[in-house]
Amino acid sequence: MAPHTAPHTRHAVRRRSLLLGTAGALGAAGVAGAAGCARVPSGDSLARLRSQGTVRLGIAGEVPYGYIDEQGEFTGEAPELAKVVFKRLGIANVQPVATDFASLIPGLNSQQFDVVSAGMYINRERCAQVLFSDPEYQMLDSFIVAKGNPKDLHDYRDVVRTKARFATGTGYAEIGYAVAAGYPEKDIVILQDQVAGLNAVESGRVDVFAGTALTTREVVRKSRKAEATKPFAAIVDGKEKIDGGGFAFRRTDAELRDAFNAEIHKMKRSGELFRILSRFGFTESEMTELTAKELCR
């Protein structure tokens, strides 16, 4: 697996999970309030954020996208990238706010955050709710399985064929990929995050946990009981599905999204984007020229 400089210990991740216990309650409140908070103040959001001097960044507390390190500081590819981009847009401070993954879009639209980035795939359903920047990376899937991969699981079809006990995370795209392969949705075990998935595999409660290739290879680094499978593309409607992750903005904030996009494209051309993301385990193969427009289709 690709090395990186950030200290991703299981102890640190557990501390992040504890934080989510509190922040998740705030996120749940956002879900409840989203329907009653459809109106977003109009105006120039970029100018407003410049005036405030701070942008609130919604994250899901997931290594390596956005999390708390051993020193209690927010880090990850999303916060570190956001710091660089928003500083260049004239906004000095990025304030990460952790919540449950499923609460990110409702929280964004109910104005708990100004922008969201949490390893969130760009897809048609989400594009109907928010505006996405062009993706900063592309990603395949991978499984956490017991050492030696005793059930020989390499893709979702193998999970269906073997009737393996299958788990994934709250709100993860992998739920739909498993269902598309024929796995009964009612039988999918939904867990909080990849750490809970690792624990479930190690304890034998499930046979497999599905996540992004980067997430799975990071979380098993120090495990003696589990390993990550080789990355693979999910098959949906007979075609390979390659996903891309980007920052999400309210649909009223097109100007802010466009300004963010312009900076991301400059960083792609200069190689600066990869230099930032490589610190968190991303490889050259995960850099992408895909666009949000393509992924939204």
Side-chain angles (χ1 to χ4, degrees):
M1 72 182 299
H4 54 82
T5 57
H8 297 166
T9 65
R10 291 180 64 185
H11 173 67
V13 176
R14 288 195 185 101
R15 289 175 59 192
R16 171 191 45 79
S17 297
L18 289 174
L19 173 70
L20 287 176
T22 302
L26 296 174
V31 173
C37 194
R39 289 182 297 173
V40 177
S42 59
D44 186 342
S45 54
L46 180 54
R48 173 177 55 81
L49 292 174
R50 283 172 174 162
S51 177
Q52 291 175 186
T54 298
V55 58
R56 296 166 300 168
L57 174 68
I59 64 173
E62 180 177 353
V63 175
Y65 303 105
Y67 62 99
I68 295 179
D69 66 17
E70 289 183 305
Q71 288 72 46
E73 300 293 330
F74 279 106
T75 189
E77 67 91 12
E80 298 305 325
L81 180 56
K83 289 174 188 176
V84 173
V85 173
F86 285 111
K87 184 175 181 179
R88 291 175 183 170
L89 294 179
I91 306 164
N93 301 306
V94 173
Q95 178 187 342
V97 182
T99 189
D100 181 80
F101 187 90
S103 299
L104 286 167
I105 288 179
L108 175 66
N109 285 328
S110 63
Q111 301 178 66
Q112 292 183 58
F113 326 115
D114 301 301
V115 59
V116 159
S117 183
M120 182 178 287
Y121 285 170
I122 301 169
N123 61 35
R124 184 183 303 176
E125 179 182 354
R126 291 170 180 156
C127 291
Q129 303 173 70
V130 297
L131 295 177
F132 279 102
S133 68
D134 287 331
E136 67 262 27
Y137 61 84
Q138 64 184 21
M139 193 63 64
L140 299 177
D141 282 3
S142 175
F143 294 153
I144 299 174
V145 295
K147 283 283 188 184
N149 196 0
K151 286 188 173 288
D152 199 27
L153 304 173
H154 301 283
D155 60 29
Y156 295 104
R157 292 167 295 188
D158 291 337
V159 173
V160 174
R161 174 180 53 80
T162 62
K163 298 182 179 179
R165 293 168 297 169
F166 175 81
T168 190
T170 304
Y172 281 22
E174 286 75 10
I175 297 170
Y177 298 159
V179 172
Y183 199 89
E185 186 169 3
K186 65 181 178 61
D187 293 340
I188 297 176
V189 178
I190 303 298
L191 301 174
Q192 179 179 339
D193 55 24
Q194 77 278 11
V195 179
L198 173 64
N199 292 337
V201 171
E202 288 183 332
S203 67
R205 289 191 292 115
V206 301
D207 299 309
V208 55
F209 178 89
T212 69
L214 182 55
T215 294
T216 59
R217 71 180 182 237
E218 290 298 305
V219 78
V220 302
R221 291 179 70 215
K222 296 186 178 181
S223 176
R224 296 182 178 180
K225 296 181 178 180
E227 63 184 49
T229 64
K230 290 183 179 180
F232 63 91
I235 304 297
V236 179
D237 296 330
K239 298 179 181 178
E240 287 192 345
K241 183 77 167 63
I242 298 179
D243 290 292
F247 283 66
F249 301 80
R250 283 188 286 272
R251 294 188 64 81
T252 53
D253 289 348
E255 183 179 359
L256 177 61
R257 188 277 311 272
D258 292 346
F260 186 94
N261 250 356
E263 295 299 325
I264 287 291
H265 285 286
K266 291 177 187 176
M267 296 173 73
K268 285 184 178 182
R269 290 192 295 268
S270 71
E272 184 180 11
L273 179 64
F274 177 64
R275 289 194 293 273
I276 293 173
L277 268 60
S278 65
R279 292 161 45 196
F280 299 96
F282 289 81
T283 66
E284 291 267 11
S285 66
E286 285 152 353
M287 298 299 97
T288 185
E289 295 300 324
L290 285 168
T291 66
K293 185 176 181 180
E294 290 174 285
L295 293 168
C296 285
R297 289 200 297 263

